[in-house]
Amino acid sequence: MADPATYRPAPGSIPESPGVYRFRDPDGRVVYVGKAKSLRQRLNSYFADFAGLHPRTQTMLTTAASVDWTVVGNEVEALQLEYSWIKEFDPRFNVKYRDDKSYPYLAVTMGEDFPRVQVLRGAKRKGTRYFGPYSHAWAIRETVDLLLRVFPVRTCSAGVFKRAGQIGRPCLLGYIDKCSAPCVGRVTPEEHRALAEDFCDFMAGNTGRFIKRLEREMRDAAAVEEYERAARLRDDVQALQRALEKQTVVLGDDTDCDVIALAEDPLEAAVQVFYVRGGRIRGQRGWVVDKVEETTPGELVEQFLLQMYGEATIPREILVPARPPDETALAELLSEQRGSRVDLRVPQRGDKKSLMETVERNAKESLAQHKLRRASDLTTRSRALQEIADALDLDQVPLRIECYDVSHIQGENVVASMVVFEDGLVRKSEYRRFSIRSGEGDVASIYEVICRRFKRYLEERVATGELDTEPAGDAAAGPGEEAAGVDTDAGFDDGAREPAVGTPIDPETGRPRKFAYPPNLVVVDGGPAQAAAARRALDELGVDDVAVCGLAKRLEEVWLPGDDQPVILPRSSEGLYLLQRVRDEAHRFAITYHRSKRSKPLRESALDQVPGLGPARRQALLRHFGSVKRLREASAEEIQTVPGIGPATAEAIVAALRGQSPSPAGQGS
């Protein structure tokens, strides 16, 4: 690795002008391209305080061996040159957007003598008009099948077209009037091209004139008693209307825009784009990007716009989730490429805001699906586990990983979660959650939950005869612990489900033992203090065969107990990705439990404390009196008038309600 000080430019040699710079490795390959309003300020920030830089930026600087720059006249020229260099050199440390799949387009080959309608993927071809992209090819074919009734454009391949011309007989589509059969001369090349142009106009959003024209011809045919022709025209109108119904109306008829939304985590980001033309969603497309360096949402948007619209058609309005850092220069560059003004806007309210929220949901789903596909690959999981073992110097790969997280609000309702990954996959039946008793901060909470979990593990070993003595200290399972608590989002139900194959069974109760398996690796959400607390808990219990690490969220650093410096896993590391996924799942599970515990008092009513009063009779009382307040003011005799309430129960209700102050949760409930 190179020392950045060895290739730092001499003081005063960097100009203060706007420009674009390149970092190169020892072989001369460009590893990073960036732009700056002031080259001097930007480049000096790389070399002024190396220790204060983000680890990803440090990696880039130690990979590089030299830096050069080019001065430009203004920020727009800097954007143009940056895009050109990124496209030319494909630097490894620049953000790269890649399709999460190959999206199909509806294409019309207007460059041919007889234009053809077809489904195409991949690079765009000169002389071909494209519509979309669409999520699925079948969606295109359904639309085309409807439109061929009205615009019978050729859809056959060059070989089929040539063969039909040689034998003088059209294909099946020609016989059922879904092709005008230019191959056998039923229409001239000019007439067929006019049909193709009408097809393109309809797909581009100019739909009204075609439907009005067909309706007018239908009425004219009916007026002269050509009822069969009128019926065919009626069916054509209905076909066009069904084709339009497949394209959702979201904005005004004159609205042409692209709606862009982001979903991101510290390692990756997903981008979704909805293409709106004539107020209708004409298609969508998605990308996934590895965040090689630390970037803000605005910077991601800027890089995406530069890469997406480098060669694509630019609409007059682009809705984005965050403003790019150089918004004015970027809008000027896009306007110059389009040939007219382009507006970049962040929607704040109304239909455009609602549509942005829809696109954002699609982006979140796309990111989740991408992570699921990545996690489900056996080879990738094996590599991730091996990378973790190598980085943490473990004797074997951690086939079972347990992660712990603490959740609270200012020390109230403190809870902890335990999630389990086996062979790189979630094991939700093994999840556990804890109510923390100490409430003395995250470090003390981690210490407590590790003690309680592993005391239970040692007790299980004693019960099976693997250990001869009881573990020291208090028993783990107490009133504050929910070792088999219900969390519907996590997917387990108090141990009532059929245990998984291989789960140890308690011979006395016949139920699965809750903490029978020890993990190979314990991960805690936090830095060196949390990792040290977990290690101390294990040492005090005499558990010496379980590794411990902490994962700090801010810089994704892995901390080992007692180490002064963190372990930095590469950004492209599958091991780091797996650790992050484990940590995020523990955080989600803890938050879910904390929210349910925090909201429980709000759902409770004073009637819940009355013995023998079930949900049905509580509802009957509330329906009769209207609220707990009015019920509290009622006498025992008045309460007995409610069906199902006897004298003893009525007296218990009066005693319970008047023996305590009014509950806010009970008002009006």
Side-chain angles (χ1 to χ4, degrees), residues 4 112 122 161 172 202 248 252 269 326 334 389 409 490 517 520 523 528 568 573 591 645:
E112 298 183 10
F161 184 83
L172 176 62
F202 184 89
T248 308
D326 298 324
L334 295 175
I409 294 182
Y517 282 131
N520 302 107
V523 180
I568 303 296
S573 165
I591 287 290
I645 305 296

Side-chain angles (χ1 to χ4, degrees), residues 417-432:
S417 66
M418 168 186 130
V419 301
V420 179
F421 277 57
E422 290 188 353
D423 197 20
L425 297 175
V426 296
R427 185 74 178 272
K428 290 191 174 181
S429 62
E430 301 288 309
Y431 284 16
R432 299 292 178 261

Side-chain angles (χ1 to χ4, degrees), residues 102-140:
S102 178
Y103 284 83
Y105 286 82
L106 173 59
V108 185
T109 58
M110 298 301 292
E112 298 183 10
D113 293 336
F114 293 94
R116 173 191 176 192
V117 175
Q118 59 183 320
V119 177
L120 288 179
R121 301 176 186 262
K124 295 187 177 181
R125 306 171 186 175
K126 187 176 181 180
T128 300
R129 291 197 63 179
Y130 289 86
F131 303 94
Y134 292 81
S135 300
H136 304 282
W138 56 260
I140 304 178

